[in-house]
Amino acid sequence: QEFLAGSESRNFLVMHELAHQWFGDTVTCETWSEGWLNEGFATHSEVLWEEHCNGKASGIFYLMDNFQSGYLEEARTYQRPIVFNQFEFVSEIFDAHLYDKGALVLNQLRDTLGEDAFRRAVGHYLTKHQFSPVTTQDLIRAIEEATGFNARKFFDTFVFRAGHIELEAEVKKTDAMPHGLEISVAQKQKGGEEPAIEFQTRIFIQYVDGSSEERPLTL
């Protein structure tokens, strides 16, 4: 109905379904438990389209407004790994973990690898496995072969583990340096017996002269 009415969302509907020609048709998830390899990539393609039309920042807001909020709402009810084989009916896992969190994780992977390496890895994955059933392990190996990046810890953290990272950041001036800042970031997610998650992020610094930089931070 939105398509017939000319809604803006029809562009994203077309983008999502077109992406399935590669993710779902050219390569197809081996089992439904690996369904994020279809739907996560197709959903992430909507972010790429928004970036193509309106720039990187707009893509980030599209991701947050449409997918982050949807996943977090569902996560209040239950949390599961993205790759998950405990279901009676397959429709049970066609949820915000499969679509929304799948897209969020792929965008995090893109930021981690960098644009060129991400595109190279995905291209290698599609070419190597075209017209074949695939698993997440196939994607991991393709990333490692194309980029040399050890992707296993990333996937253990974001794909094979339930839940998500919750951070609390504090920024304060420090007397030791008149123009210095002390930045502390702590993980606050409830992990039960699970250990804290090791991952990399970046801190963006904007200076008064208009220059800026990003500094890596390992948590």
Side-chain angles (χ1 to χ4, degrees):
Q1 290 299 317
E2 289 184 349
F3 187 88
L4 292 172
S7 166
E8 176 68 18
S9 65
R10 70 180 182 178
N11 294 335
F12 298 103
L13 171 65
V14 170
M15 188 66 243
H16 182 108
E17 301 307 333
L18 276 173
H20 278 310
Q21 292 189 61
W22 292 270
F23 307 98
D25 295 348
T26 302
V27 295
T28 306
C29 60
E30 187 174 274
T31 66
W32 286 124
S33 62
E34 303 274 358
W36 84 287
L37 296 172
N38 291 14
E39 300 301 346
F41 272 102
T43 304
H44 184 249
S45 74
E46 299 176 35
V47 180
L48 299 179
W49 176 251
E50 178 62 26
E51 283 187 18
H52 171 73
C53 294
N54 299 306
K56 177 76 172 179
S58 188
I60 292 171
F61 281 109
Y62 183 86
L63 189 80
M64 293 174 62
D65 292 343
N66 292 279
F67 306 140
Q68 180 173 286
S69 57
Y71 161 70
L72 290 176
E73 181 66 29
E74 184 173 272
R76 293 190 183 98
T77 305
Y78 67 91
Q79 297 178 10
R80 65 169 180 84
I82 292 178
V83 176
F84 193 66
N85 61 7
Q86 298 176 36
F87 55 87
E88 183 176 2
F89 303 104
V90 69
S91 58
E92 295 171 17
I93 62 167
F94 272 68
D95 57 7
H97 285 72
L98 196 76
Y99 288 79
D100 298 16
K101 188 179 181 183
L104 289 161
V105 166
L106 287 172
N107 206 67
Q108 173 72 9
L109 178 64
R110 185 162 66 112
D111 283 345
T112 300
L113 292 175
E115 192 71 35
D116 291 342
F118 178 78
R119 289 174 179 267
R120 189 165 66 252
V122 173
H124 178 57
Y125 163 72
L126 291 173
T127 302
K128 180 180 179 181
H129 298 289
Q130 62 179 336
F131 313 127
S132 303
V134 289
T135 68
T136 302
Q137 294 297 334
D138 293 320
L139 175 60
I140 292 172
R141 282 190 289 269
I143 292 168
E144 293 177 340
E145 290 167 1
T147 67
F149 173 72
N150 186 346
R152 295 176 191 277
K153 180 179 286 187
F154 179 94
F155 279 78
D156 284 344
T157 298
F158 295 107
V159 176
F160 298 123
R161 177 172 172 163
H164 54 273
I165 300 167
E166 296 180 19
L167 300 178
E168 184 177 280
E170 182 182 6
V171 182
K172 60 184 180 181
K173 293 183 178 180
T174 172
D175 295 335
M177 294 182 289
H179 301 292
L181 291 175
E182 183 179 288
I183 301 173
S184 61
V185 183
Q187 293 187 41
K188 293 294 185 179
Q189 69 271 11
K190 296 178 181 178
E193 299 300 317
E194 295 275 4
I197 298 171
E198 181 181 338
F199 71 102
Q200 280 198 332
T201 186
R202 295 187 298 274
I203 294 176
F204 178 81
I205 304 170
Q206 177 77 56
Y207 297 103
V208 293
D209 65 1
S211 62
S212 62
E213 65 172 307
E214 286 187 348
R215 295 193 183 183
L217 177 68
T218 299
L219 292 170

